[in-house]
């Protein structure tokens, strides 16, 4: 008997005002997976995450988490059920210290468990533990991304939704973030991420979903999508995966991802 998916989205429709952005998007995510959602700008990727997490109302379709219908449930209740979301921007409190940011994240945890939850994060993010009084606004871009991830992990999620975790980062900072995502997934936490750096994201993903014009366009394993000529041509810059073109030469787009490749399972 096949186990029910941890997250099951069926026929999701959503948008802004009179504009419909998602046109029946579906996705199933199983235990232990990393799933990347890629596609051109305006494809509805971030809208999809926001609708799954209840920030935007679904106009049609359903979201099931742990085989329960959670469509439209408030975000704080989803967090307490084990589903959390890290937005691309405004994901930390810049005027507060690292310690204060983590304390705010822990408010979703029962009071008696908060200290232990923060201590687990300190073990996972030693850099943050070393600088508890540093204000978040003074951190580098990569450090802020790690703090945002840490704040979400304090809540003890089973599944994380990440919107553009590498956006605006230097190649070195990007390496740190992707390496940490692999480490987090190794703890059993499922990751669904929207990512413009499609090659890098697919390289650490079990599966990928390509959205185009708010609809499912392609779906498959991360490696298969990386080597699918149609996907490469339309969504990965048109260069061959093994080529030495300018689009694949930089570390930010390399599919080899040294230190950031998800270990084989």
């Amino acid at each position: 008997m096949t186990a029910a998916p941890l997250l099951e989205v069926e026929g999701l429709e959503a948008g802004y005002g009179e504009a419909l952005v998602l046109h029946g998007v579906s996705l199933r995510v199983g235990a232990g997976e990393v799933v990347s959602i890629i596609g051109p700008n305006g494809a509805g990727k971030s809208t999809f995450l926001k609708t799954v997490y209840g920030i935007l109302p679904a106009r049609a379709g359903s979201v099931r988490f742990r085989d329960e219908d959670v469509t439209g449930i408030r975000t704080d209740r989803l967090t307490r059920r084990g589903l959390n979301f890290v937005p691309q921007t405004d994901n930390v409190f810049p005027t507060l210290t690292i310690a204060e940011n983590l304390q705010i994240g822990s408010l979703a945890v029962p009071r008696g468990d908060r200290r232990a939850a923060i201590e687990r994060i300190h073990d996972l993010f030693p850099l943050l533990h070393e600088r508890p009084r540093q204000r978040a606004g003074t951190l580098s871009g990569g450090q802020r991304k790690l703090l945002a991830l840490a704040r979400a992990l304090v809540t003890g999620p089973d599944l994380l939704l990440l919107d553009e975790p590498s956006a605006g980062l230097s190649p070195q900072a990007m390496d740190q973030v992707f390496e940490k995502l692999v480490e987090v997934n190794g703890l059993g936490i499922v990751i669904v991420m929207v990512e413009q750096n499609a090659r890098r994201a697919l390289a650490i993903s079990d599966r990928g979903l390509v959205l185009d014009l708010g609809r499912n366009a392609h779906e498959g394993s991360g490696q298969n999508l990386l080597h699918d000529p149609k996907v490469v041509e339309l969504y990965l810059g048109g260069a061959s995966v093994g080529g030495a073109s300018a689009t694949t030469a930089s570390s930010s787009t390399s599919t080899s991802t040294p230190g950031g490749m998800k270990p084989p399972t």
Side-chain angles (χ1 to χ4, degrees):
M1 184 175 180
T2 304
L6 183 63
L7 177 70
E8 186 173 16
V9 182
E10 286 286 350
L12 201 62
E13 295 185 4
Y16 306 89
E18 297 182 358
L20 192 62
V21 176
L22 302 180
H23 302 269
V25 177
S26 298
L27 177 67
R28 291 171 178 79
V29 182
E33 286 195 306
V34 176
V35 177
S36 288
I37 301 173
I38 66 171
N41 290 334
K45 304 183 298 295
S46 296
T47 299
F48 177 76
L49 291 189
K50 291 175 182 177
T51 307
V52 169
Y53 193 58
I55 296 172
L56 287 176
R59 300 185 185 179
S62 65
V63 178
R64 299 185 67 84
F65 181 61
R66 288 209 197 96
D67 210 25
E68 294 184 6
D69 191 339
V70 297
T71 312
I73 287 182
R74 280 180 7 202
T75 58
D76 60 312
R77 294 180 178 176
L78 287 176
T79 298
R80 289 182 170 86
R81 289 184 182 215
L83 177 64
N84 210 340
F85 171 64
V86 181
Q88 177 182 349
T89 59
D90 299 325
N91 48 26
V92 299
F93 296 99
T95 62
L96 301 183
T97 66
I98 288 173
E100 290 166 340
N101 270 275
L102 294 179
Q103 288 165 4
I104 290 176
S106 74
L107 295 178
V109 178
R111 185 181 299 272
D113 298 332
R114 291 173 187 172
R115 182 185 296 273
I118 292 176
E119 287 177 354
R120 287 195 297 271
I121 293 305
H122 287 163
D123 291 338
L124 191 59
F125 297 86
L127 176 66
L128 301 181
H129 184 37
E130 294 167 2
R131 307 179 184 182
R133 297 183 180 180
Q134 183 171 351
R135 295 196 182 278
T138 68
L139 295 172
S140 69
Q143 291 166 350
R144 287 179 67 152
K145 293 282 187 177
L146 292 178
L147 177 57
L149 181 61
R151 283 187 62 245
L153 289 170
V154 167
T155 66
D158 295 312
L159 191 153
L160 276 178
L161 304 171
L162 308 178
D163 192 4
E164 302 285 2
S166 77
L169 299 185
S170 68
Q172 182 179 6
M174 192 181 302
D175 285 344
Q176 294 174 345
V177 168
F178 276 103
E179 287 168 5
K180 187 59 66 175
L181 294 182
V182 171
E183 184 179 354
V184 167
N185 180 245
L187 300 175
I189 298 170
V190 175
I191 293 174
V192 177
M193 64 175 162
V194 162
E195 180 55 59
Q196 282 290 343
N197 194 325
R199 294 181 184 274
R200 191 67 184 270
L202 291 173
I204 69 165
S205 296
D206 297 286
R207 291 188 300 110
L209 169 66
V210 181
L211 290 187
D212 201 345
L213 298 176
R215 295 179 171 84
N216 292 61
H218 301 275
E219 189 169 357
S221 74
Q223 290 302 311
N224 284 346
L225 290 178
L226 275 173
H227 294 86
D228 183 318
K230 186 174 182 180
V231 173
V232 170
E233 178 65 28
L234 293 177
Y235 306 106
L236 301 182
S240 64
V241 172
S245 71
T247 59
T248 59
S250 72
S251 61
S252 65
T253 55
S254 170
T255 60
S256 60
T257 60
M261 179 72 76
K262 184 175 182 180
T265 56

